[in-house]
Amino acid sequence: MIGRLNHVAIAVPDLAAAADQYRNTLGATVRAPQDEPDHGVTVVFIELPNTKIELLYPLGDNSPIKGFLDKNPSGGIHHMCFEVEDILAARDTLKAQGARVLGDGEPKIGAHGKPVLFLHPKDFNGCLIELEQV
Amino acid sequence: MIGRLNHVAIAVPDLAAAADQYRNTLGATVRAPQDEPDHGVTVVFIELPNTKIELLYPLGDNSPIKGFLDKNPSGGIHHMCFEVEDILAARDTLKAQGARVLGDGEPKIGAHGKPVLFLHPKDFNGCLIELEQV
């Protein structure tokens, strides 16, 4: 069911510093920041040859990243995103096997303009998993 | 400097259950477990089309994963590994910019039989980063 690893998302306490570090210290290709008000984050994508790193920084008062950064002030790996061909079929298969989908269970439009869902970390070895339909 | 994302490593509290979940629930290609006594872990590689997930489980009494699982009993994302062409050049460049290398600073031979180093999470947004020379 799962295909490519679309990205690994890292919540960071200083977006400019983190972007600068990936660009200048680690020598990666770093894109411009983009605000995602619907998701409560500003994101910076880092393009690796085979996948992406997504730097996440809170945007607005109700950002879903804020609690994570309160608990992890240095930042940390927040989630990983797997691509699926059919997100509704994937969701139904996972739910039938007891996995919990976060929110109301309906796909939202993610940072790439494609439908996404998040799976409950407690059902997946403590890892927050995003599924993105490609 | 950094190239491909070689793998994302996940520490898991039950290796057989996690491997079964990736194989049967998530439908991925899952390899046989391999013991890595030099690293204090048993690993299961999950092959995605563009990268790998590495499931980690403690092996022996001094496993470096044990403390992580004590703090995160459900498991969690433990580190991510970036490929580099020249690990000594990468290390020296990073150290010159103030990044700390874990251990004695000399590369060890990793689970793929290639030289690896780990960078201090506090210097990289709370993320443990492994560099692997390819």
Side-chain angles (χ1 to χ4, degrees):
Chain A
M1 176 204 298
I2 58 171
R4 297 173 75 256
L5 178 75
N6 185 276
H7 62 266
V8 177
I10 301 172
V12 301
D14 182 332
L15 189 59
D20 180 74
Q21 182 182 51
Y22 272 85
R23 183 182 289 112
N24 295 315
T25 306
L26 293 169
T29 299
V30 176
R31 302 295 175 201
Q34 40 183 108
D35 289 345
E36 301 284 346
D38 289 352
H39 297 275
V41 290
T42 301
V43 302
V44 166
F45 283 107
I46 295 156
E47 307 270 356
L48 301 180
N50 61 330
T51 188
K52 293 187 287 288
I53 304 291
E54 180 184 83
L55 303 179
L56 298 176
Y57 185 79
L59 177 68
D61 292 335
N62 297 309
S63 173
I65 306 301
K66 191 176 174 306
F68 183 91
L69 284 171
D70 287 344
K71 275 188 228 160
N72 304 278
S74 303
I77 301 177
H78 184 265
H79 69 264
M80 53 186 177
C81 175
F82 297 127
E83 297 179 357
V84 294
E85 285 188 13
D86 181 335
I87 201 162
L88 294 178
R91 175 195 65 183
D92 293 344
T93 300
L94 291 165
K95 282 178 75 174
Q97 294 180 74
R100 286 167 287 180
V101 176
L102 297 187
D104 63 5
E106 296 305 315
K108 302 279 182 295
I109 298 302
H112 305 99
K114 295 177 177 168
V116 301
L117 279 177
F118 285 89
L119 306 177
H120 200 302
K122 284 215 189 296
D123 296 335
F124 292 92
N125 309 293
C127 303
L128 180 59
I129 292 179
E130 181 180 16
L131 298 180
E132 178 174 309
Q133 180 170 299
V134 291
Chain B
M1 176 203 299
I2 58 171
R4 297 173 74 255
L5 179 74
N6 186 277
H7 63 265
V8 178
I10 302 173
V12 301
D14 182 334
L15 189 58
D20 179 74
Q21 182 181 52
Y22 272 86
R23 183 184 289 112
N24 295 315
T25 305
L26 292 170
T29 300
V30 176
R31 301 298 176 197
Q34 40 183 108
D35 289 345
E36 301 284 346
D38 290 352
H39 297 274
V41 289
T42 300
V43 302
V44 166
F45 283 107
I46 294 156
E47 307 271 357
L48 301 179
N50 61 332
T51 188
K52 291 187 290 286
I53 304 291
E54 180 184 83
L55 303 179
L56 297 176
Y57 185 78
L59 177 67
D61 292 335
N62 298 308
S63 173
I65 306 302
K66 193 177 172 305
F68 183 89
L69 284 171
D70 287 345
K71 273 188 231 162
N72 305 277
S74 304
I77 300 177
H78 184 264
H79 69 265
M80 54 186 174
C81 175
F82 297 127
E83 297 179 357
V84 295
E85 285 188 12
D86 182 334
I87 200 162
L88 295 177
R91 175 196 65 184
D92 294 345
T93 300
L94 290 166
K95 282 177 73 173
Q97 293 179 77
R100 286 166 287 179
V101 176
L102 297 187
D104 63 5
E106 295 304 317
K108 302 279 182 292
I109 298 301
H112 305 99
K114 294 177 178 169
V116 300
L117 280 176
F118 285 88
L119 305 176
H120 200 302
K122 283 215 190 296
D123 297 335
F124 292 92
N125 309 293
C127 304
L128 180 59
I129 291 178
E130 181 180 17
L131 298 180
E132 177 174 310
Q133 180 170 300
V134 292

